[in-house]
Amino acid sequence: MHLPCMTSTRHLLRAATMKTYSTSAIAALLGSPYVSAFAPSLLARPAGRHAVVPASPSPTSSLSSALSMANDAKVFDQEAFISESREMRLNHLEEQAMFALKIAAENYGNAVFPNALIAGDVVITHLLDRMGYLKDGKVKIMVVDTFHLFPETMDFLREIEEHYGFKAEVFCAEGVPVGDKAAYDKKYGADLWREDIEQYDKVCKVEPFQRGLKTLKTDCMINGRTRWQGFERAWIDQFENAPIGGGLAKCNPIAYWTLEDTFDYIAKYKVPHHPLHAKGYPSIGDAKDTIPIPEDGSTRFVDYKFEGDKTPWLDYASERKGRFVGLANKDGSTKTECGIHVAGAEQTFDRDLWVDGKVQNIASNEEALEIIKSGKEAVIAVYAPWCQFCQGMEDEYAKYAESAGVPVYKFRGDEERDFVMEHLNTKSFPTVNFVKSDGSVVKYDSEARSAEDFAKFQKSFEKSTA
């Protein structure tokens, strides 16, 4: 008779023993309901009959038992194990997330949840409701309306406000009434995102986001970022310091969840979720740069289950593949963040420019026209105080004004777009103009904006009019 080698026998003995220990350990730690997938026939066997590890095991008898286990279909139900493991994982993630939320809500005075209404955020909303923090107001909900969201997004916000019984604080671009897209277009321009995506992010996302946190006196910001969303977030923990002055805490309660975990949770509790998931969108941002994944919309989340191939959504870092489509940063790199969660986000410059010094203010359209038609030379910078490029030339333009030899003005153009386009050559900010004595206006068409550059252009302008 051919006997297996002793090495193989030892491996099989170890496997049999480990299965017994694993079953016993799991039963002791978790209780019998959690081990139905682990060798149920072993748990039911009477002592002494077909024992897995006899009191005095011999290599052949142990081998026989191990092989019997391996060939017994009742010993291990793989599908049951996977199902129970998923449930165990989700239970753990829920408890872990609620523990983080409890710390955020009860150890800080003003915890705020900026809610983007995407899959992870609706999970957090549901968890907060389960814990009673929405109704008792311990956690406030904040929403940023960029004026470029899908129509379904703000409708969905109203739906969950009614469902959970809370009222969100909505913030939008500075100086614009909530919900007034026409006022936004008039002040900032409907195509700001095409002209300068960084300025668009600052005006429509970062500044209102920061203003919202300040208005609500936030000391702990709750958000739905996860490690699964991409390499920029692969190392985040449940708590961290936000890149905002003043020591603001940031709570990431679902930091360790995958996107699949969030949809498992949504299905488990029948959580209200964004209607665009049913139309092929794994994540939802601005309508102008968010697309379904795959683009044909063949992957969908409908009636709390996936239709089509779910892997395009659930692969690592795939959640936001449909976001920021066609957008690039100034350095040409692919855009993956809107700026809210990056260092320097607190620099929103809620102040005017050139308050002191030789730069004079033009207070109205009528005054601007008087200067143009005065028959005197002058320099006018058309600016927006929120524009980083205007901020960037602030010191040099002020320095130039000290010795320019002609009056140097500033005119805030973001509130008078039609006028500055017609009379001051302005399509973007900043635009510097030299006014001739004959009333014509010459645009300074250069990105070089030092005091010396402005002075050189003035001299060339003077020669051309001599």
Side-chain angles (χ1 to χ4, degrees), residues 174-238:
E174 186 273 331
V176 177
V178 172
D180 194 340
K181 178 64 161 59
Y184 165 82
D185 289 348
K186 183 176 180 180
K187 182 170 184 176
Y188 295 102
D191 292 327
L192 177 61
W193 70 273
R194 297 180 192 275
E195 298 164 359
D196 191 326
I197 189 59
E198 290 183 4
Q199 285 304 301
Y200 167 79
D201 283 348
K202 189 171 186 178
V203 166
C204 295
K205 299 179 181 180
V206 178
E207 191 283 329
F209 186 92
Q210 298 297 333
R211 178 162 33 89
L213 295 179
K214 292 176 183 177
T215 301
L216 298 176
K217 298 180 171 56
T218 310
D219 54 8
C220 183
M221 176 176 63
I222 299 166
N223 72 99
R225 295 186 310 151
T226 77
R227 292 183 172 197
W228 194 254
Q229 289 167 339
F231 295 108
E232 301 92 341
R233 302 177 176 187
W235 303 104
I236 64 171
D237 289 310
Q238 284 195 305

Side-chain angles (χ1 to χ4, degrees), residues 48-234:
R49 185 185 177 195
H50 297 105
V52 176
V53 182
S56 302
S58 67
T60 53
S61 62
S62 296
L63 174 61
S64 176
S65 297
L67 290 174
S68 176
M69 286 177 62
N71 293 327
D72 186 351
K74 295 181 180 180
V75 169
F76 178 72
D77 184 338
Q78 180 171 294
E79 293 305 315
F81 171 77
I82 292 172
S83 177
E84 290 177 18
S85 294
R86 286 167 66 99
E87 182 64 20
M88 290 164 64
R89 171 181 169 80
L90 194 56
N91 287 338
H92 169 71
L93 290 173
E94 290 177 43
E95 293 175 6
Q96 189 181 54
M98 287 192 285
F99 183 65
L101 290 172
K102 181 179 177 66
I103 293 173
E106 299 186 11
N107 289 274
Y108 293 89
N110 294 291
V112 174
F113 174 35
N115 193 335
L117 307 172
I118 57 179
D121 287 4
V122 301
V123 167
I124 295 174
T125 305
H126 188 267
L127 290 168
L128 290 171
D129 178 68
R130 286 174 62 185
M131 302 176 76
Y133 293 147
L134 295 183
K135 288 185 173 64
D136 67 14
K138 278 194 173 180
V139 175
K140 299 180 179 68
I141 302 290
M142 182 183 98
V143 172
V144 172
D145 183 1
T146 67
F147 291 112
H148 294 75
L149 301 173
F150 288 91
E152 293 91 340
T153 297
M154 296 309 286
D155 290 342
F156 177 58
L157 172 61
R158 288 186 283 271
E159 177 187 326
I160 64 168
E161 283 178 331
E162 182 177 351
H163 180 83
Y164 292 116
F166 72 91
K167 186 65 178 175
E169 298 279 350
V170 180
F171 294 87
C172 61
E174 186 273 331
V176 177
V178 172
D180 194 340
K181 178 64 161 59
Y184 165 82
D185 289 348
K186 183 176 180 180
K187 182 170 184 176
Y188 295 102
D191 292 327
L192 177 61
W193 70 273
R194 297 180 192 275
E195 298 164 359
D196 191 326
I197 189 59
E198 290 183 4
Q199 285 304 301
Y200 167 79
D201 283 348
K202 189 171 186 178
V203 166
C204 295
K205 299 179 181 180
V206 178
E207 191 283 329
F209 186 92
Q210 298 297 333
R211 178 162 33 89
L213 295 179
K214 292 176 183 177
T215 301
L216 298 176
K217 298 180 171 56
T218 310
D219 54 8
C220 183
M221 176 176 63
I222 299 166
N223 72 99
R225 295 186 310 151
T226 77
R227 292 183 172 197
W228 194 254
Q229 289 167 339
F231 295 108
E232 301 92 341
R233 302 177 176 187

Side-chain angles (χ1 to χ4, degrees), residues 279-337:
K279 296 184 179 180
Y281 294 82
S283 184
I284 298 96
D286 282 349
K288 62 183 173 53
D289 52 58
T290 304
I291 64 171
I293 297 295
E295 291 188 47
D296 62 5
S298 57
T299 302
R300 298 177 296 276
F301 188 72
V302 181
D303 295 331
Y304 302 104
K305 60 182 181 295
F306 280 100
E307 293 183 354
D309 180 7
K310 63 183 180 180
T311 56
W313 286 24
L314 304 182
D315 280 345
Y316 178 72
S318 293
E319 177 180 353
R320 289 155 28 104
K321 277 185 177 177
R323 300 276 299 277
F324 310 112
V325 175
L327 302 182
N329 298 310
K330 285 288 186 181
D331 61 4
S333 61
T334 301
K335 189 168 185 60
T336 59
E337 293 277 1

Side-chain angles (χ1 to χ4, degrees), residues 263-275:
F263 282 108
D264 284 347
Y265 182 95
I266 290 169
K268 177 179 178 180
Y269 292 102
K270 301 297 185 285
V271 176
H273 52 282
H274 202 295

Side-chain angles (χ1 to χ4, degrees), residues 363-437:
S364 65
N365 295 348
E366 291 74 21
E367 184 179 344
L369 289 174
E370 288 177 8
I371 293 169
I372 293 171
K373 297 175 181 179
S374 68
K376 300 177 181 178
E377 296 176 352
V379 179
I380 302 174
V382 184
Y383 76 104
W386 44 263
C387 170
Q388 63 176 333
F389 303 107
C390 298
Q391 296 161 7
M393 77 171 206
E394 185 177 15
D395 292 342
E396 290 298 315
Y397 190 67
K399 180 180 176 182
Y400 163 68
E402 293 290 333
S403 57
V406 296
V408 177
Y409 296 97
K410 67 173 184 175
F411 184 62
R412 182 166 179 174
D414 59 324
E415 297 176 334
E416 299 292 345
R417 284 179 175 267
D418 292 341
F419 178 84
V420 298
M421 287 179 67
E422 181 179 355
H423 298 283
L424 291 168
N425 302 312
T426 302
K427 292 183 179 179
S428 62
F429 305 113
T431 295
V432 177
N433 290 289
F434 289 81
V435 180
K436 293 183 179 182
S437 58

